[in-house]
Amino acid sequence: MKTALPVASIGAFLPLLAAFPALAVETTGVPGSPGATTTIDGKQLPAPDPKFEGVIKEGALESKPWWAPRIVPPKKAPNILLIMTDDSGFGVPSTFGGVIPTPTMDRLAQNGLRYNNIHSTALSSPTRAALITGRNHHSAGFGVISEQSTGFPGYNSIIAKDKATIGRILKENGYSTSWFGKDHNVPAFAASKVGPFDNWPIGQGFDYFYGFVGGDANQWQPNLFRNTTQIYPFHGKTPGTWNLVTAMADDAINHIAEINQIDPNKPFFVYYVPGATHAPHHPTKEWVDKIQNMHLFDDGWNNLRERIFENQKRLGVIPADTKLEPWPKDVIKNWDDCTPEEKKLFIKQVEIFAAYAAYNDHEIGRVVQAIEDMGKLDDTIIIYINGDNGTSAEGGPLGTPNEVAFFNGINKMPVAEQMKWYDVWGTEQTYNHMSAGWSWAFDTPFTWFKQNASKLGGIRQCMVVSWGDRIKDKGGLRDQFMHVIDVVPTLLDVTGIPAPELVDGIKQAPIEGTSFAYTFDAQNAKEPSRHKTQYFEMMGQWALYHEGWLLSTKVNRAPWEAFGAANPDPLNNQVLELYDLNKDFSQSQNIASNHPEKVKEMKHMFIEEAKKYQVFPMDASVAGRIVAPRPNITAGRNEFVYTRPMVGLPQGDSPMLLNSSYTITAELTVPEGGAEGMILTSGGRFAGYGFYLLKGKPVFLWNLVDLKRIRWEGSDALAPGKHTLEFDFKYDGLGAGTLAFNNMSGLGRPGTGTLKVDGKAVQTITMPHTLPMILQWDEAFDVGSDTLTGVNDADYLPPFPLTAVLNKLTIKVDRPQLSAADIKTLKEGMEKAAAGRE
């Protein structure tokens, strides 16, 4: 406990105060003693070292030691648990009218406040960057997800050094800081073990990290890290018994308990961001059984939407006069128009999703309970945000057993094909996503989805805040307009810690959010929002909020329509809509035709906001940006040599073979008795390739999103001794260069592969299609064995180590180059397409 400094000792602290200029300071202990503590003014981080105030003589016996006081947060600064789930719309949790039980969120709401008007950016990385920096997502370099980054300040996926995170600020002010779960704010080109690590959690001010790097993760076999070291705690476990949702709760509980035992007076900041409910939806069987037994979805998505809507009105989390728009049958068909087989599959899909959401809330509850068991719940502010964007519709109208297929352009896999995975849906055999019909219902009372930044279904979240006795209005509702950039200034407000002026000598950009701590007081329940203006933009869809008005672009692309030419002028080539959200909670009444001057005024305001926050150049492309060139460690290289086994190289830092010709040459020495094992693999069960020895025979295999596998195989096992294996692939396409002309025709084209053994061709196969966009991006590039999942379970199970000696592995990539004639044709096509839009 902090104790007041004896009056007689205050004078002894005066030299120390001079070392921390203009310090509004709280101090404890005897000056210079090991137990002395102090707060800092927080203007400069790290705080400058104070002047030594002891006495130094020639001998230690005549000298007087002096220790700099330990830096602590201001008195009564609370512990902080900041929770955000993934891909979850307003109508998902029971707390806000959903049918999926979320008792942890319910409990916190009953002991705190509900918020029905907080907003995201419509996509993962951007929302998370905004949440931890207090700046708009383009300001923080995250105009899109890290895997789509481009070379512009608002889109490069780099949180600049003038935008210190809340983790860094709190750490330098004496907090213990930790991060659990998803980290989607590491640039995809800086995710390997060579770093740099300045944009990993430990480089952003977090003492401890346990989680995965990237947009999604197989919850049964994740690409998991402790700090910067990859770990495999699921190895040796029976499939279906280890799950990251539980494992990260266990790790968080252990970590918080250790911090509490070591130093009970040190407050903690825990950033808890599970991957649920982002695809793949991977709940445990226990939770699947619980949800299936509830029969929540048997009457279909139309009725589900109506039921959620009525629940929301009954709970008072939406106004009684809120309107629900008609079902969008031109986008998603009515439930009654689905076939019996479709209904069977779709119900399975949504039950798995719901089980995942309920399971996740339960595990969050264990963390909350652990804090209560420590006796620290009343001293902890808990912010629980449901979703980093609206519910995802990236499964398309039919859903999919493999989300990686969606990212490669397969967005409507036939139901009959999907039924092959019906009995294993949600297990390690699937990378599953549900039909967009359920997603529309889960965004009730709003419309559209994740990715749609101009519609509230993509950007309106719900949130609860609980804080012991500090919040008196238990169970209250707050409807002030807020955005996730408001969380950082709120936390600084309640801790009494100022935003720093300098961090590591770098002048800090202003915090762009607005504290909502004023809403904690009952007398401010109806105070107008202090956050007056907010822009939204995601992949060319945009909106502007200003004091209740919302100008937004009409949705011109469903999230699953990610391929094809993009709108070349997304600022101007749009249909603009106008809404008065003060009277129209659900954004259902477009009144643009009644207020043309307001539309013009607000578009001008949007342009000014866009200039201010690095939104330009605006880009409406989606899939094309996934394969855009980035400054990873392979950039500019066309030859890669490996002479020893190596695993865990992420996709963003490994040689990219898609849409190119390439030659892979392996020089091996086979021991007496033969050899087997993995030579080289990238990706896994849901998309990738492998080059391996199977019972001594060389095999090269392409896994095309778990729908088809194309296999080259030698006829004979390799004899003992030295051998050279080669896989040569000739790509028949123009490559990624066509993207510069708003044209995707160069991607996913045919190609011919030839497997050679000691210079002799043993098999040649032409692939009519190749993967255009990605391999399974939570899997690694591995040499000498295979981590996580394999590309063909029928052949082997990981790790499948290579028992031959790998002398040398060489990869040569020949990327297509556009000719002058190609460029002329592509330019003409781009100009013609642009003219057609005018």
Side-chain angles (χ1 to χ4, degrees):
M1 295 293 293
K2 298 175 183 174
T3 59
L5 188 67
V7 174
S9 300
I10 292 177
F13 258 105
L14 293 179
L16 177 63
L17 300 186
F20 295 103
L23 193 65
V25 69
E26 298 171 0
T27 59
T28 66
V30 177
S33 71
T37 71
T38 186
T39 60
I40 59 174
D41 69 358
K43 293 180 179 179
Q44 178 179 340
L45 300 179
D49 292 332
K51 180 182 177 182
F52 178 76
E53 293 296 335
V55 177
I56 298 178
K57 300 292 186 180
E58 290 182 355
L61 294 179
E62 305 107 43
S63 303
K64 182 180 178 181
W66 186 92
W67 292 95
R70 182 164 45 89
I71 295 172
V72 296
K75 192 179 296 182
K76 296 185 179 179
N79 302 301
I80 302 166
L81 175 59
L82 175 57
I83 305 162
M84 185 169 67
T85 61
D86 203 340
D87 282 9
S88 185
F90 191 92
V92 167
S94 56
T95 319
F96 289 84
V99 301
I100 301 172
T102 53
T104 301
M105 191 179 221
D106 293 346
R107 172 194 176 188
L108 295 174
Q110 289 161 7
N111 288 286
L113 296 170
R114 299 167 296 166
Y115 291 79
N116 69 357
N117 202 3
I118 185 167
H119 297 79
S120 66
T121 70
L123 207 59
S124 175
S125 289
T127 294
R128 292 159 190 273
L131 179 66
I132 63 174
T133 65
R135 282 88 170 186
N136 287 299
H137 58 301
H138 294 87
S139 296
F142 273 90
V144 288
I145 60 174
S146 57
E147 294 86 352
Q148 293 177 304
S149 61
T150 55
F152 300 100
Y155 299 89
N156 60 17
S157 74
I158 299 170
I159 297 177
K161 297 185 185 303
D162 65 344
K163 300 175 181 70
T165 71
I166 185 63
R168 179 67 190 280
I169 297 170
L170 294 179
K171 175 182 177 178
E172 297 292 353
N173 279 274
Y175 270 79
S176 166
T177 58
S178 55
W179 182 329
F180 298 89
K182 177 174 176 175
D183 178 8
H184 207 184
N185 293 124
V186 175
F189 48 83
S192 78
K193 62 185 64 176
V194 302
F197 298 114
D198 51 345
N199 277 294
W200 284 61
I202 64 166
Q204 292 284 6
F206 292 85
D207 298 316
Y208 180 77
F209 171 57
Y210 178 94
F212 60 94
V213 174
D216 46 13
N218 182 330
Q219 300 295 298
W220 305 110
Q221 296 168 284
N223 183 31
L224 189 62
F225 291 85
R226 177 171 280 116
N227 298 324
T228 60
T229 300
Q230 196 163 13
I231 58 174
Y232 306 92
F234 42 83
H235 277 181
K237 304 290 195 301
T238 302
T241 61
W242 186 99
N243 190 291
L244 180 57
V245 177
T246 295
M248 68 175 277
D250 288 343
D251 206 82
I253 291 167
N254 290 337
H255 181 77
I256 298 169
E258 284 186 354
I259 295 298
N260 186 53
Q261 285 190 157
I262 294 169
D263 187 357
N265 292 322
K266 190 177 183 71
F268 59 76
F269 168 52
V270 174
Y271 181 44
Y272 194 88
V273 278
T277 50
H278 195 292
H281 305 149
H282 281 167
T284 60
K285 186 177 186 302
E286 172 193 2
W287 284 94
V288 173
D289 291 343
K290 286 181 180 181
I291 293 298
Q292 286 180 340
N293 290 337
M294 296 174 73
H295 296 282
L296 298 173
F297 308 104
D298 292 357
D299 55 353
W301 46 56
N302 298 74
N303 288 321
L304 172 65
R305 186 178 185 231
E306 295 288 346
R307 203 176 341 139
I308 293 173
F309 186 57
E310 292 305 317
N311 288 345
Q312 291 170 336
K313 289 193 291 185
R314 176 178 52 80
L315 291 172
V317 294
I318 66 173
D321 61 354
T322 302
K323 293 180 172 59
L324 196 62
E325 292 188 54
W327 185 262
K329 58 183 179 182
D330 57 330
V331 179
I332 302 163
K333 63 184 176 181
N334 285 307
W335 184 255
D336 289 344
D337 295 329
C338 297
T339 67
E341 186 178 49
E342 287 175 333
K343 290 179 179 179
K344 180 180 178 180
L345 175 65
F346 296 157
I347 290 172
K348 168 72 83 169
Q349 292 173 352
V350 72
E351 286 178 340
I352 299 298
F353 171 87
Y356 195 26
Y359 170 37
N360 184 50
D361 180 83
H362 170 79
E363 295 297 325
I364 291 171
R366 292 180 54 230
V367 177
V368 172
Q369 186 60 48
I371 294 172
E372 182 174 29
D373 293 344
M374 293 174 200
K376 293 204 166 186
L377 192 59
D378 285 344
D379 298 325
T380 302
I381 181 171
I382 301 175
I383 299 176
Y384 186 160
I385 303 171
N386 173 67
D388 55 358
N389 41 242
T391 315
S392 173
E394 291 164 354
L398 303 178
T400 179
N402 183 2
E403 189 199 27
V404 185
F406 156 73
F407 287 107
N408 282 291
I410 301 173
N411 56 16
K412 293 181 182 178
M413 190 185 300
V415 168
E417 182 75 20
Q418 294 191 54
M419 289 299 289
K420 297 176 183 177
W421 288 274
Y422 181 85
D423 291 333
V424 294
W425 203 273
T427 72
E428 71 280 358
Q429 297 298 317
T430 60
Y431 215 82
N432 50 305
H433 205 313
M434 66 185 172
S435 164
W438 301 116
S439 307
W440 192 282
F442 284 131
D443 288 343
T444 302
F446 312 112
T447 59
W448 291 95
F449 319 96
K450 170 187 177 181
Q451 293 191 26
N452 299 126
S454 62
K455 283 293 185 178
L456 293 179
I459 57 176
R460 178 68 65 84
Q461 312 306 137
C462 47
M463 174 179 77
V464 299
V465 179
S466 174
W467 186 8
D469 293 331
R470 172 63 180 82
I471 294 177
K472 307 291 187 182
D473 188 17
K474 307 295 186 183
L477 178 71
R478 300 292 185 265
D479 61 4
Q480 289 87 351
F481 179 92
M482 299 172 188
H483 190 276
V484 293
I485 60 173
D486 298 337
V487 171
V488 165
T490 301
L491 294 178
L492 296 180
D493 199 348
V494 302
T495 58
I497 294 172
E501 297 174 5
L502 295 171
V503 176
D504 296 329
I506 298 171
K507 184 179 179 180
Q508 293 296 288
I511 298 288
E512 294 163 3
T514 304
S515 171
F516 56 78
Y518 67 95
T519 67
F520 297 167
D521 296 322
Q523 63 265 31
N524 295 331
K526 296 301 180 183
E527 181 174 333
S529 175
R530 297 179 183 177
H531 191 139
K532 304 296 185 182
T533 304
Q534 179 63 48
Y535 82 91
F536 300 89
E537 190 278 335
M538 190 58 60
M539 296 179 288
Q541 299 182 66
W542 54 267
L544 181 80
Y545 170 88
H546 180 66
E547 296 184 342
W549 292 94
L550 185 72
L551 178 73
S552 59
T553 57
K554 182 178 180 180
V555 174
N556 55 21
R557 179 188 65 80
W560 56 87
E561 295 168 343
F563 295 79
N567 184 347
D569 186 10
L571 177 62
N572 300 302
N573 191 8
Q574 301 269 18
V575 175
L576 298 181
E577 300 176 340
L578 183 68
Y579 300 90
D580 182 356
L581 298 184
N582 291 320
K583 301 175 182 177
D584 176 18
F585 184 82
S586 60
Q587 193 190 7
S588 63
Q589 307 298 313
N590 176 18
I591 54 175
S593 60
N594 299 334
H595 302 276
E597 290 304 314
K598 191 69 175 177
V599 170
K600 183 178 179 181
E601 172 195 344
M602 291 190 69
K603 181 178 179 182
H604 176 74
M605 290 179 65
F606 172 81
I607 292 171
E608 292 305 307
E609 295 291 289
K611 290 177 180 176
K612 183 178 180 181
Y613 296 119
Q614 302 187 153
V615 177
F616 296 135
M618 199 183 297
D619 187 347
S621 65
V622 185
R625 277 191 272 185
I626 293 176
V627 291
R630 295 181 185 88
N632 68 14
I633 57 179
T634 69
R637 296 174 60 189
N638 57 21
E639 183 171 341
F640 307 85
V641 177
Y642 307 91
T643 58
R644 57 180 296 160
M646 177 189 72
V647 298
L649 191 63
Q651 299 296 337
D653 276 335
S654 62
M656 178 69 160
L657 304 187
L658 302 184
N659 308 305
S660 299
S661 297
Y662 54 89
T663 302
I664 302 173
T665 304
E667 300 174 30
L668 309 175
T669 300
V670 176
E672 293 295 329
E676 67 172 5
M678 184 59 65
I679 301 168
L680 167 68
T681 183
S682 191
R685 178 178 291 131
F686 304 102
Y689 63 84
F691 196 7
Y692 49 95
L693 300 180
L694 184 65
K695 297 180 180 178
K697 298 179 182 179
V699 174
F700 194 94
L701 183 140
W702 263 108
N703 172 0
L704 303 181
V705 295
D706 203 24
L707 293 176
K708 184 178 182 180
R709 286 169 171 79
I710 299 179
R711 177 192 192 91
W712 293 257
E713 185 172 6
S715 56
D716 300 312
L718 299 180
K722 292 187 175 182
H723 295 276
T724 299
L725 307 180
E726 181 181 298
F727 183 76
D728 181 68
F729 189 82
K730 302 299 183 187
Y731 181 66
D732 183 19
L734 296 180
T738 64
L739 295 172
F741 302 92
N742 202 12
N743 186 305
M744 300 184 72
S745 65
L747 310 182
R749 305 297 297 172
T752 299
T754 299
L755 176 64
K756 299 178 182 178
V757 177
D758 296 326
K760 179 181 178 182
V762 296
Q763 191 169 20
T764 298
I765 299 174
T766 296
M767 297 174 65
H769 304 283
T770 56
L771 293 180
M773 308 305 299
I774 65 166
L775 308 182
Q776 186 181 344
W777 56 18
D778 67 336
E779 290 271 355
F781 175 96
D782 299 326
V783 176
S785 65
D786 191 354
T787 56
L788 306 183
T789 65
V791 293
N792 191 18
D793 291 348
D795 281 353
Y796 70 93
L797 294 175
F800 200 45
L802 181 66
T803 57
V805 175
L806 176 65
N807 301 313
K808 187 178 182 182
L809 176 68
T810 304
I811 301 174
K812 294 183 178 180
V813 184
D814 182 12
R815 299 177 182 88
Q817 302 297 315
L818 298 177
S819 67
D822 293 332
I823 293 172
K824 181 175 183 294
T825 300
L826 289 164
K827 280 184 175 179
E828 291 172 350
M830 183 171 63
E831 292 166 358
K832 183 177 180 180
R837 285 179 172 267
E838 295 176 354

